[in-house]
Structures are given as structure tokens and as C-alpha cells.
């Protein structure tokens, strides 16, 4: 093992970098990409300066790996931004505050309202078919309603 470490060549580092880049393909979220790039950078540096000791090579690899992983982490954090439409994939949330017509009378707190070309279950005070209600909230697939004014 010591003989291998003392005779590390740039090919070893390039092979490690290649293996890490291949593993990145299987979904590591970008981290193995940058660590693979650090291994490739140490390989190039070892090609340019072949007399680097194995300790220095490992130290450079560790420092470059940490630096590139931190760079990737910061870049990912800064890329997160607020959406223009925060309720885009929260079905029903966009209906809160809007007024709709009762499709099936709300009796004992349960009924249905007509929303565009669909019908939603509704919970709220009793209301007759055809009356208007305003959506005040949502519990799963049930819209909470109150009489519209």
C-alpha cells in the first residue's frame, strides 16, 4: 500500500476523477462532479509537477474537494428564488377568496360547488343550490366556504 501511495501518478488521479464523474451520472446532486473535478485538477498538477509527494497530493485533493463542494453548495443556495406563483402546484389554494355557485345544496355542512368546469366538495353553513359562496380555506380536497355578500 505504501509503495502504491509513494508512486501515485497523474493517471491515478484522472482515473479517480473519471470514476467520480461517472458516479455523478447516477444522481449525486452535483457534489461528485466537483470532487471529480478536484481529482482531475490534482491529476493535471501531478502531470505538470511530477515530484509532488503523495501527502501533498492528498492535501491538495482534500482542499480542492472542500473548496469546490462549498462553491457548489453556495451556488445552489443562491439559485433558489421565490416563485411568481407560490400556489402553482397547490391545487385549490388559488381558489381561496373567490366566489362560486353552489352546485349541490350544502346541508349539514356538506355540499358541492361549481368551479370552472369541475365540481368540488364544500364544507360550510347551509346554502341552497344556485346561491353564491366564497372560498375561505381548504382541507385536503374539501373547500371551506361561507356565504358571499
Amino acid at each position: 500500500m505504501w509503495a502504491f501511495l509513494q508512486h501515485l501518478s497523474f493517471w491515478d488521479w484522472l482515473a479517480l476523477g473519471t470514476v467520480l464523474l461517472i458516479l455523478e451520472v447516477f444522481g449525486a446532486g452535483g457534489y461528485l462532479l466537483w470532487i471529480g473535478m478536484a481529482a482531475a485538477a490534482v491529476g493535471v498538477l501531478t502531470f505538470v509537477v511530477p515530484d509532488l509527494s503523495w501527502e501533498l497530493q492528498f492535501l491538495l485533493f482534500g482542499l480542492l474537494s472542500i473548496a469546490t463542494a462549498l462553491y457548489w453548495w453556495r451556488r445552489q443556495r443562491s439559485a433558489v428564488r421565490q416563485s411568481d406563483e407560490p400556489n402553482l402546484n397547490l391545487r385549490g389554494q388559488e381558489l381561496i377568496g373567490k366566489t362560486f355557485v353552489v352546485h349541490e345544496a350544502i346541508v349539514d355542512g356538506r355540499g358541492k360547488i361549481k368551479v370552472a368546469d369541475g365540481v368540488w366538495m364544500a364544507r360550510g353553513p347551509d346554502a341552497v343550490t344556485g346561491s353564491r359562496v366564497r372560498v375561505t380555506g381548504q382541507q385536503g380536497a374539501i373547500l371551506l366556504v361561507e356565504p358571499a355578500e
Side-chain angles (χ1 to χ4, degrees):
M1 179 73 168
W2 290 110
F4 174 74
L5 288 177
Q6 292 175 349
H7 294 51
L8 277 176
S9 73
F10 67 94
W11 289 114
D12 298 318
W13 288 107
L14 293 178
L16 175 64
T18 303
V19 168
L20 290 171
L21 292 175
I22 290 170
L23 290 175
E24 174 62 35
V25 172
F26 296 110
Y31 288 102
L32 290 182
L33 168 75
W34 295 101
I35 294 172
M37 297 291 274
V42 171
V44 169
L45 191 60
T46 305
F47 178 74
V48 173
V49 184
D51 294 334
L52 284 176
S53 68
W54 68 271
E55 295 95 347
L56 186 57
Q57 290 177 29
F58 273 95
L59 180 65
L60 286 172
F61 174 66
L63 292 175
L64 284 173
S65 295
I66 290 170
T68 56
L70 285 174
Y71 167 75
W72 177 250
W73 180 70
R74 282 192 175 163
R75 185 165 181 241
Q76 288 296 94
R77 280 193 48 200
S78 67
V80 175
R81 56 186 168 94
Q82 294 297 325
S83 172
D84 302 0
E85 303 204 22
N87 295 327
L88 181 63
N89 290 324
L90 300 174
R91 191 173 165 151
Q93 291 291 314
E94 73 276 3
L95 303 176
I96 295 176
K98 295 184 179 175
T99 304
F100 300 100
V101 176
V102 175
H103 183 68
E104 287 183 19
I106 301 176
V107 179
D108 294 329
R110 295 184 170 263
K112 295 183 179 178
I113 62 173
K114 181 87 170 146
V115 177
D117 61 347
V119 177
W120 283 70
M121 293 183 61
R123 184 181 304 153
D126 292 353
V128 296
T129 302
S131 61
R132 299 188 64 74
V133 292
R134 179 178 300 107
V135 178
T136 59
Q138 179 183 11
Q139 289 180 339
I142 299 173
L143 297 175
L144 306 176
V145 298
E146 65 181 18
E149 302 186 18

